[in-house]
């Protein structure tokens, strides 16, 4: 073969034909990477606030070199994620693919990442989600995707389907089913994985009829317990629309550019505590968006649907971080400043049983300071117990689940962050100098034990994607064995037994509108 023929042959390998048309990727450090491939039509104009529409075919070869534009979202986005090389435009609904050198031996397992961001922030092009180490270390195909967030994706408005952001995720998974073979991936070996709102999305997908059969395995990292009733979601949407001087209808909201409409959601999020008498536990969260239990797109809260067998055949891996809520205390400047009055408020607001729950927490943690109680109950309510309960629901339905807890403390910011929310993301992707990794590892460098733990994360996650076994026993209601991820990882009974017992028997469901 001549040099020219070899070059032409190598270039040809970078072109993949999808159902809608050909795309050309780039070779990057032993992988072929495709960015910004549309999986649905831009949701603007007549398609605004609608379910995702199939992408129209194109002629010729589309260069898949850059990430698609982020979906419209709050102004905090750019400062939080440090997006690079992102064009402007309306083509938000895109996927990105990292795939090893194709060979004829066999198709590779596929992992599909769903980002977090409180259902109001996020973009698959954020540097913290660079999947090269996942794909290379695991020898598998990794797909990341964009979905609509905030008002565009989750506001419950008249004239539009609920949970449009979740429907985007389903459309992306359908794209994977229909196209991933061309990238060397096995459509029968798909694992969805996500963190925070991404984990809440994964939990929702387990419960959604439209997502059935699109993935074989699921990984949910720090599942948030916030799912809205239809009544609550509509009331929040009315407040947001009113902020913009509009009615909560698709027709009315569509008269405002989506990038300008985000300001209304941001303004309501900043004053949610004023709605405490109507929105209850949601009001202190500053997050006016969550999946809506609308009875159609999402028929039931994930815990109920999973316990009833909706995902019995899906292999499940779930876990949370020990000090989830610490991140929000540090970022809000509250760490070390919580007094008795604030601790009492948090316990009565979030503990199961209200005033009785406060007494139970104080009895279970007699040595805890007000700040520790404030943090503990919100870690449990928001992430810890919803995550554990998802595993228990899967077991109740006759399925299997593996559980982990991350206890290794982030070294940045003087070591005060502990094993806080989102620490698992830079550890998993190995992106210590991007996004929140800049905070979590600031001033500390990357210690050797962080690299070791990062490699363990990827080895366990990719092993699970390949075999359904992450390297430790499945969780059971008797021994309750979990993988504790620390400098010296070990398998032992679930460490947060005191919290587990406090929440035993509590039913997680959709959050109501208070009458």
């Amino acid at each position: 073969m001549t040099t020219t023929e070899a070059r032409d042959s190598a270039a040809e390998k970078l072109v993949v034909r999808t159902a809608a048309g050909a795309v050309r990727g780039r070779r990057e450090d032993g992988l072929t990477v495709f960015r910004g491939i549309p999986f649905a039509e831009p949701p603007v104009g007549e398609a605004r606030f609608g379910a995702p529409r199939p992408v129209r075919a194109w002629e010729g070869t589309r260069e898949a070199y850059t990430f698609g534009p982020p979906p419209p979202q709050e102004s905090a986005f750019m400062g939080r994620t440090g997006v690079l090389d992102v064009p402007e435009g309306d083509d938000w609904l895109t996927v990105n693919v990292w795939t090893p050198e194709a060979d004829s031996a066999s198709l590779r397992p596929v992992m599909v990442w769903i980002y977090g961001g409180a259902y109001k922030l996020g973009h698959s092009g954020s540097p913290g989600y660079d999947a090269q180490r996942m794909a290379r270390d695991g020898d598998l195909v990794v797909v990341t995707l964009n979905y609509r967030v905030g008002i565009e994706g989750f506001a419950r408005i008249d004239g539009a389907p609920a949970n449009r952001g979740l429907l985007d995720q389903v459309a992306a998974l359908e794209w994977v089913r229909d196209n991933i073979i061309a990238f060397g991936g096995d459509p029968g070996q798909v694992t969805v994985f996500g963190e925070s709102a991404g984990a809440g999305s994964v939990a929702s997908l387990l419960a959604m009829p439209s997502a059935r059969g699109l993935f074989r395995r699921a990984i949910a990292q720090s599942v948030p317990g916030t799912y809205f009733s239809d009544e609550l979601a509509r009331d929040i949407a009315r407040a947001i629309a009113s902020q913009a001087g509009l009615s909560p209808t698709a027709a009315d909201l569509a008269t405002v550019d989506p990038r300008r409409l985000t300001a209304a959601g941001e303004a309501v999020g900043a004053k949610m505590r004023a709605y405490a008498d109507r929105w209850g536990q949601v009001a202190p969260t500053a997050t006016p968006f969550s999946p809506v239990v609308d009875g159609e797109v999402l028929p039931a809260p994930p815990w109920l649907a999973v316990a009833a067998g909706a995902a019995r055949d899906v292999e499940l891996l779930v876990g949370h971080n020990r000090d989830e809520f610490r991140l929000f205390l540090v970022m809000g400047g509250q760490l070390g400043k919580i007094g008795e009055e604030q601790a009492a408020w948090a316990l009565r607001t979030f503990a199961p049983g209200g005033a009785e729950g406060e007494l139970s927490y104080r009895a279970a943690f007699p040595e805890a300071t007000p700040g520790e109680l404030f943090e503990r109950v919100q870690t449990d309510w928001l992430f810890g117990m919803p995550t554990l309960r998802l595993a228990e629901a899967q077991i109740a339905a006759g399925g299997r689940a593996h559980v982990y807890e991350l206890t290794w403390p982030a070294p940045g910011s003087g070591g005060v962050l502990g094993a806080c929310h989102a620490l698992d993301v830079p550890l998993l992707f190995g992106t210590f100098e991007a996004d929140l990794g800049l905070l979590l590892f600031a001033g500390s460098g990357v210690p050797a034990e962080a690299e070791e733990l990062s490699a363990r994360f990827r080895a366990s996650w990719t092993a699970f994607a390949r075999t359904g076994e992450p390297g430790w026993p499945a969780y059971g209601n008797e021994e309750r064995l979990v993988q504790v991820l620390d400098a010296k990882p070990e398998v032992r009974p679930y460490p947060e037994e005191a919290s587990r017992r406090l929440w035993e028997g509590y039913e997680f469901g959709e959050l109501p509108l208070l009458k």
Side-chain angles (χ1 to χ4, degrees), residues 484-506:
V484 176
L485 292 164
D486 211 316
K488 294 183 179 179
E490 62 175 329
V491 176
R492 62 187 179 94
Y494 182 58
E496 314 307 331
E497 178 64 9
S499 292
R500 188 197 69 79
R501 292 180 67 86
L502 286 167
W503 290 83
E504 199 167 28
Y506 180 85

Side-chain angles (χ1 to χ4, degrees), residues 353-508:
E356 288 187 13
E358 178 187 2
L359 296 176
S360 298
Y361 257 87
R362 292 185 184 278
F365 302 98
E367 305 299 322
T369 66
E372 289 168 343
L373 289 169
F374 183 89
E375 179 185 330
R376 180 76 262 159
V377 70
Q378 293 190 78
T379 286
D380 290 345
W381 172 77
L382 189 53
F383 296 112
M385 295 306 106
T387 300
L388 184 67
R389 190 59 54 82
L390 191 65
E392 293 173 345
Q394 181 73 332
I395 294 166
R400 294 174 76 242
H402 292 81
V403 178
Y404 73 90
E405 182 177 17
L406 174 62
T407 57
W408 184 79
S413 299
V416 300
L417 287 157
C420 67
H421 188 63
L423 175 59
D424 47 316
V425 176
L427 286 171
L428 176 60
F429 286 95
T431 49
F432 302 108
E433 298 180 357
D435 298 353
L436 278 173
L438 292 170
L439 169 66
L440 300 174
F441 291 85
S444 67
V446 182
E449 62 186 36
E451 289 285 8
E452 293 169 5
L453 188 55
S454 179
R456 180 179 287 272
F457 255 100
R458 286 190 298 282
S460 296
W461 266 231
T462 57
F464 180 77
R466 190 175 298 279
T467 67
E469 296 289 344
W472 65 87
Y475 186 85
N477 288 326
E478 293 185 6
E479 292 184 285
R480 299 191 177 91
L481 295 179
V482 308
Q483 174 70 72
V484 176
L485 292 164
D486 211 316
K488 294 183 179 179
E490 62 175 329
V491 176
R492 62 187 179 94
Y494 182 58
E496 314 307 331
E497 178 64 9
S499 292
R500 188 197 69 79
R501 292 180 67 86
L502 286 167
W503 290 83
E504 199 167 28
Y506 180 85
E507 291 189 6
F508 284 94

Side-chain angles (χ1 to χ4, degrees), residues 6 13 18 25 96 114 122 200 220 227 299 339 341 377 397 408 411 433 440 494:
K13 289 181 180 179
T18 72
N96 319 293
I114 302 175
Y227 290 77
E341 184 177 345
V377 70
W408 184 79
E433 298 180 357
L440 300 174
Y494 182 58

Side-chain angles (χ1 to χ4, degrees), residues 67-73 77-78 81 83-94 115 121-126 146-149 259:
F67 294 110
Q73 53 197 272
F77 168 67
M78 292 304 292
T81 58
V83 176
L84 301 174
D85 195 22
V86 177
E88 295 182 358
D90 299 327
D91 212 352
W92 317 321
L93 302 183
T94 58
Y115 52 72
L121 300 168
H123 176 229
S124 62
S126 295
N146 278 0
Y147 63 95
R148 283 172 284 181
V149 296
R259 293 167 187 81

Side-chain angles (χ1 to χ4, degrees), residues 242-447:
S242 177
Q243 179 71 36
L246 302 168
S247 61
T249 67
D252 214 13
L253 291 170
T255 62
V256 179
D257 183 276
R259 293 167 187 81
R260 295 181 58 194
L261 193 57
T262 58
E266 193 167 5
V268 170
K271 59 182 181 182
M272 285 180 65
R273 285 180 180 271
Y275 295 88
D277 61 334
R278 296 181 61 76
W279 300 349
Q281 292 174 316
V282 176
T285 67
T287 303
F289 307 104
S290 275
V292 182
V293 182
D294 66 308
E296 184 177 351
V297 176
L298 185 59
W303 306 276
L304 298 182
V306 169
R312 184 182 296 114
D313 296 330
V314 176
E315 293 168 312
L316 184 62
L317 168 60
V318 301
H320 64 84
N321 305 345
R322 182 188 58 202
D323 310 308
E324 294 274 5
F325 201 75
R326 185 83 54 84
L327 176 68
F328 308 108
L329 285 174
V330 172
M331 295 183 74
Q334 292 181 291
L335 188 65
K337 300 179 182 179
I338 301 299
E340 180 57 40
E341 184 177 345
Q342 291 166 293
W345 166 83
L347 291 168
R348 291 170 188 167
T349 300
F350 299 111
E356 288 187 13
E358 178 187 2
L359 296 176
S360 298
Y361 257 87
R362 292 185 184 278
F365 302 98
E367 305 299 322
T369 66
E372 289 168 343
L373 289 169
F374 183 89
E375 179 185 330
R376 180 76 262 159
V377 70
Q378 293 190 78
T379 286
D380 290 345
W381 172 77
L382 189 53
F383 296 112
M385 295 306 106
T387 300
L388 184 67
R389 190 59 54 82
L390 191 65
E392 293 173 345
Q394 181 73 332
I395 294 166
R400 294 174 76 242
H402 292 81
V403 178
Y404 73 90
E405 182 177 17
L406 174 62
T407 57
W408 184 79
S413 299
V416 300
L417 287 157
C420 67
H421 188 63
L423 175 59
D424 47 316
V425 176
L427 286 171
L428 176 60
F429 286 95
T431 49
F432 302 108
E433 298 180 357
D435 298 353
L436 278 173
L438 292 170
L439 169 66
L440 300 174
F441 291 85
S444 67
V446 182

Side-chain angles (χ1 to χ4, degrees), residues 210-258:
S210 61
R212 237 156 254 164
L214 293 176
F215 54 93
R216 181 174 178 179
R217 301 183 178 104
I219 303 174
Q221 304 168 211
S222 304
V223 179
T226 51
Y227 290 77
F228 293 171
S229 68
D230 202 58
E231 296 78 13
L232 173 61
R234 289 184 182 277
D235 201 62
I236 293 174
R238 278 192 289 272
I240 293 171
S242 177
Q243 179 71 36
L246 302 168
S247 61
T249 67
D252 214 13
L253 291 170
T255 62
V256 179
D257 183 276

Side-chain angles (χ1 to χ4, degrees), residues 161-197:
N163 300 306
R164 297 172 297 280
L166 298 179
L167 293 175
D168 293 343
Q169 296 166 18
V170 171
L173 287 167
E174 290 173 339
W175 182 92
V176 170
R177 177 195 61 197
D178 298 339
N179 293 281
I180 206 64
I181 287 178
F183 297 86
D186 184 350
Q189 287 269 72
V190 174
T191 298
V192 291
F193 68 126
E195 181 267 347
S196 195

